[in-house]
Amino acid sequence: VSEASRPISAAPTPRTAVRRKPERASYDEAAVNAILDEALFCHVGVVRDGAPVVIPTIHARHGDHVYLHGSPAAGILRDARGGVEICVAATIVDGLVLARSPRYHSLNYRSVVLFGRVHRLRDKTAKAAALDCLVEHVVAGRSACLRTATPKEIAETEVLQLSLTEASVKIRTGPPLDPDADKDLPIWAGVLPLMLATGEPIEAPGVPPNATVPDHVRTWKRAAT
Amino acid sequence: VSEASRPISAAPTPRTAVRRKPERASYDEAAVNAILDEALFCHVGVVRDGAPVVIPTIHARHGDHVYLHGSPAAGILRDARGGVEICVAATIVDGLVLARSPRYHSLNYRSVVLFGRVHRLRDKTAKAAALDCLVEHVVAGRSACLRTATPKEIAETEVLQLSLTEASVKIRTGPPLDPDADKDLPIWAGVLPLMLATGEPIEAPGVPPNATVPDHVRTWKRAAT
């Protein structure tokens, strides 16, 4: 367990001050944005009845905030829109770090942790734009070819906005950091890179024959690491 | 945002009762175990000063509990070992669900959410075994070829154990669920499968020439979905 830390735009608060492995903490807004944009989804934490609740969800960054969405009935959205603080963590794993002993094993990764209170979008145009952002976050180029959301669909979707005012990044790269004394051991050590790969697109039932797999699906890939 | 729910071994508690999309909730222990075993890492949530804090970390399941580990100085471990409740979420993404309109876009995924209080391991033998479990979780077959952890290394590592007494699973599979009226639209819809892929192993500095890339690295893959 290691902790990310440090606000991108303010002096460190107690919870964002670097405690563990500060050499892995990064401070710049570009790094925050790049990780949020590449991470396909995130985990959102809230406090409910005094205990933590964490669930996965899709996010999308737009400028200096992220959008979250879901059904108005979803418990974690009900909690969040009530004005409580939330925490959003987005993590990309880049590789397995294979050392000569258990202690020095690790993962190479890039993670962002955000803290704050959400703003609930009410304006229909703003909500529709946020929904397009969420689609674009997952598949760039797709929103332009879709049927637009109906007023009813927009009304039925809750969209929450979190400002990137308290954010921190943690990144680990490079080889295992075994003690020198271990390096003569006859043990292979190194990094096994990991990345997201795609399989063959699976067409949904009912797609008309003239609707072929579009480029934004055929060439989909996350930003290279 | 959708919520996972339901305990595997007890009547639903308020926080694990299925509220949203119960058709995506699964109840069986085998599903919980399979997702925990396949997910490379997890996100752990705690409450600190009344607010949620979520960070990524490695976990390993062994029987009916999971191990977490880290430096004794890591803030989230300090919180957790103090006896507060934690929440562990592990999520595997299986594909992009591409619909005809923004509303019906989704991800295919499998997720587990665990709740509980941790037990801090103090016994050195138990801690060493847990560290081996954590290595094996990431790379099956590796722990046997490593230098064993020293007493000092074991003492310097905090290991926490969480029982799988309150767990829930949520799984989405299959095509987008567009309304029938959308199916005649000239829009390609379907699923783009996603999986973790490996790159070429990168040897660490200092590895002796006779230590070749072992099978557990060359053939590493996560369980097929």
Side-chain angles (χ1 to χ4, degrees):
Chain A
V1 175
S2 45
E3 279 193 291
S5 284
R6 185 142 163 188
I8 54 174
S9 62
T13 65
R15 69 181 165 198
T16 60
V18 175
R19 265 193 294 266
R20 291 291 309 153
K21 309 205 173 164
E23 73 280 8
R24 292 188 192 166
S26 169
Y27 315 122
D28 97 81
E29 193 173 322
V32 171
N33 292 350
I35 295 167
L36 286 172
D37 292 350
E38 184 175 337
L40 198 53
F41 67 105
C42 67
H43 284 81
V44 177
V46 296
V47 178
R48 189 182 298 161
D49 301 328
V53 178
V54 179
I55 62 156
T57 191
I58 296 172
H59 65 280
R61 183 188 66 86
H62 186 247
D64 59 359
H65 51 259
V66 293
Y67 294 121
L68 304 171
H69 79 306
S71 160
I76 204 159
L77 289 184
R78 282 191 315 218
D79 294 333
R81 73 174 182 251
V84 299
E85 283 205 71
I86 70 169
C87 181
V88 173
T91 306
I92 302 159
V93 168
D94 292 322
L96 310 180
V97 179
L98 306 169
R100 283 86 165 177
S101 71
R103 166 70 180 279
Y104 297 94
H105 277 69
S106 189
L107 296 178
N108 280 339
Y109 66 96
R110 290 165 290 148
S111 69
V112 169
V113 177
L114 310 174
F115 298 97
R117 295 173 200 275
V118 299
H119 166 68
R120 184 183 188 182
L121 292 194
R122 293 173 186 278
D123 178 75
K124 283 179 186 168
T125 307
K127 285 175 75 176
L131 294 180
D132 283 347
C133 276
L134 285 153
V135 169
E136 288 293 308
H137 171 80
V138 173
V139 192
R142 185 156 184 85
S143 61
C145 74
L146 299 179
R147 168 176 70 66
T148 52
T150 64
K152 181 167 181 290
E153 288 173 341
I154 294 169
E156 285 171 355
T157 306
E158 186 80 74
V159 180
L160 304 177
Q161 180 178 314
L162 176 69
S163 289
L164 299 178
T165 49
E166 198 175 353
S168 60
V169 168
K170 205 156 188 181
I171 296 173
R172 191 202 185 283
T173 59
L177 300 174
D178 293 290
D180 285 341
D182 284 349
K183 291 187 180 168
D184 291 333
L185 295 171
I187 299 170
W188 188 88
V191 170
L192 184 64
L194 297 179
M195 65 282 303
L196 267 186
T198 55
E200 280 298 308
I202 301 165
E203 187 166 291
V207 171
N210 60 332
T212 54
V213 179
D215 282 349
H216 64 253
V217 176
R218 275 195 303 106
T219 65
W220 186 92
K221 96 191 277 273
R222 271 343 233 187
T225 61
Chain B
V1 175
S2 45
E3 278 192 292
S5 284
R6 186 144 163 184
I8 54 174
S9 62
T13 65
R15 68 182 165 197
T16 60
V18 175
R19 266 193 293 265
R20 290 292 309 153
K21 309 207 172 164
E23 72 281 8
R24 292 187 192 168
S26 169
Y27 314 122
D28 97 79
E29 193 173 322
V32 171
N33 292 350
I35 295 167
L36 286 172
D37 292 351
E38 184 174 337
L40 198 52
F41 67 104
C42 66
H43 285 81
V44 177
V46 297
V47 178
R48 188 183 298 161
D49 302 328
V53 178
V54 179
I55 62 158
T57 191
I58 296 171
H59 66 280
R61 183 189 65 87
H62 186 247
D64 59 0
H65 51 260
V66 293
Y67 295 121
L68 304 171
H69 80 305
S71 160
I76 205 159
L77 290 184
R78 284 191 314 217
D79 294 332
R81 74 175 182 250
V84 299
E85 284 204 72
I86 70 169
C87 180
V88 174
T91 305
I92 302 160
V93 168
D94 292 321
L96 310 180
V97 180
L98 306 169
R100 282 86 165 176
S101 71
R103 166 71 179 278
Y104 297 94
H105 277 68
S106 189
L107 295 179
N108 279 338
Y109 66 95
R110 290 166 289 146
S111 69
V112 169
V113 177
L114 310 173
F115 297 97
R117 293 173 201 277
V118 298
H119 167 68
R120 184 183 187 182
L121 292 194
R122 292 173 187 279
D123 178 76
K124 284 179 185 169
T125 308
K127 285 175 74 177
L131 294 180
D132 283 347
C133 275
L134 286 153
V135 169
E136 288 294 307
H137 171 78
V138 174
V139 192
R142 185 156 185 83
S143 61
C145 75
L146 299 179
R147 168 176 70 67
T148 53
T150 65
K152 182 168 181 288
E153 288 172 343
I154 294 168
E156 285 171 355
T157 306
E158 186 81 72
V159 181
L160 303 177
Q161 180 179 312
L162 177 69
S163 289
L164 298 178
T165 48
E166 198 176 354
S168 60
V169 169
K170 204 156 189 181
I171 296 174
R172 192 203 185 282
T173 60
L177 299 176
D178 293 291
D180 285 340
D182 285 348
K183 291 187 180 167
D184 292 331
L185 295 171
I187 299 171
W188 188 88
V191 170
L192 183 64
L194 297 179
M195 65 283 301
L196 266 187
T198 55
E200 281 298 308
I202 301 164
E203 189 166 289
V207 171
N210 61 331
T212 54
V213 180
D215 282 350
H216 63 253
V217 176
R218 274 196 303 106
T219 66
W220 185 94
K221 93 190 281 270
R222 274 340 236 187
T225 61

